[in-house]
Amino acid sequence: MLREAWVDRDLSWLEFNRRVLAEALDERTPLLERLKFLAIFTSNLDEFFMKRVGAMRTRAYANGSPGAIEEFNSHILRLRETLLPMLLQQRSVSPS
């Protein structure tokens, strides 16, 4: 069962990654540094989904109760709502 602290932790982590992406989008940042920030953003998301989301899914489904699974699914939807705009921004980056 996810407590509100866990939800805040995950959303806070995504907000940190949003700041990393902002550095990549900032045209005042030198091109090579922007590319590095994009790589960090992508690597952070990979780790987030492999570790955090994977562990939450394992716990929810190991519990087996419909409530735990429903809570996991609603948490994933909140994460998705936060993450989708960032992914669209990431795709729009075209270094000049």
Side-chain angles (χ1 to χ4, degrees):
M1 324 322 248
L2 298 173
R3 295 181 305 255
E4 198 60 38
W6 288 90
V7 173
D8 291 344
R9 176 181 172 187
D10 294 335
L11 293 175
S12 173
W13 189 93
L14 289 177
E15 287 305 317
F16 165 78
N17 217 32
R18 183 189 310 272
R19 292 189 300 274
V20 173
L21 179 60
E23 289 294 328
L25 297 172
D26 187 348
E27 293 183 2
R28 296 173 297 174
T29 303
L31 180 58
L32 184 57
E33 294 301 313
R34 292 176 68 194
L35 293 174
K36 287 179 186 179
F37 281 117
L38 277 176
I40 292 167
F41 173 81
T42 303
S43 175
N44 285 350
L45 284 181
D46 285 346
E47 182 177 344
F48 179 74
F49 279 96
M50 287 188 291
K51 304 284 182 169
R52 290 284 304 147
V53 175
M56 284 186 292
R57 182 184 185 282
T58 298
R59 281 193 305 273
Y61 281 86
N63 181 311
S65 78
I69 295 169
E70 180 60 35
E71 190 174 356
F72 169 75
N73 289 338
S74 68
H75 183 58
I76 291 299
L77 289 175
R78 284 191 301 272
L79 294 177
R80 181 179 186 269
E81 289 172 6
T82 303
L83 189 55
L84 277 178
M86 287 189 273
L87 293 175
L88 290 173
Q89 285 181 309
Q90 179 194 27
R91 284 185 59 187
S92 73
V93 173
S94 109
S96 37

